[in-house]
Amino acid sequence: MDVSQPPDHLPAATTPPVCWKADYAGEGAATVWVCGYRGSSSAFEAAQRMQSSGRQVKFQKGVYLAVAQWNEAASQAAVTALIGAIQRSLPNP
């Protein structure tokens, strides 16, 4: 993953997170951001305050907030598999 600007609609934080971005292609296309915060409470607050939108999912695991966006060509099965793989790959808190 490449270091990146945070995803759109990520709320501002006193100490901005460090974010990484990856683009996936296959059955449709998806972009995933993983943002690391100094504490899990900051990641949780960002997840709660971030606006939701269609074809997007966000989740928090420990100090990380992950945001995935996909296009209409991506199947639900492919998106579910991608999200599951990301959840398993993040370190346990």
Side-chain angles (χ1 to χ4, degrees):
M1 297 180 96
D2 296 323
V3 175
S4 161
Q5 294 294 320
D8 292 339
H9 303 102
L10 187 70
T14 304
T15 302
V18 175
C19 297
W20 300 270
K21 177 182 171 185
D23 293 310
Y24 295 89
E27 184 183 326
T31 301
V32 176
W33 291 266
V34 175
C35 296
Y37 288 83
R38 290 185 183 248
S40 60
S41 61
S42 297
F44 178 77
E45 181 180 350
Q48 295 296 308
R49 293 181 41 219
M50 185 175 183
Q51 294 178 348
S52 296
S53 66
R55 294 192 311 267
Q56 174 183 293
V57 67
K58 63 185 176 207
F59 65 90
Q60 179 245 341
K61 184 174 179 183
V63 297
Y64 298 102
L65 171 63
V67 179
Q69 295 176 337
W70 58 91
N71 67 12
E72 60 279 348
S75 71
Q76 182 177 356
V79 170
T80 300
L82 176 62
I83 299 304
I86 293 165
Q87 286 176 320
R88 288 186 300 276
S89 70
L90 290 175
N92 285 322

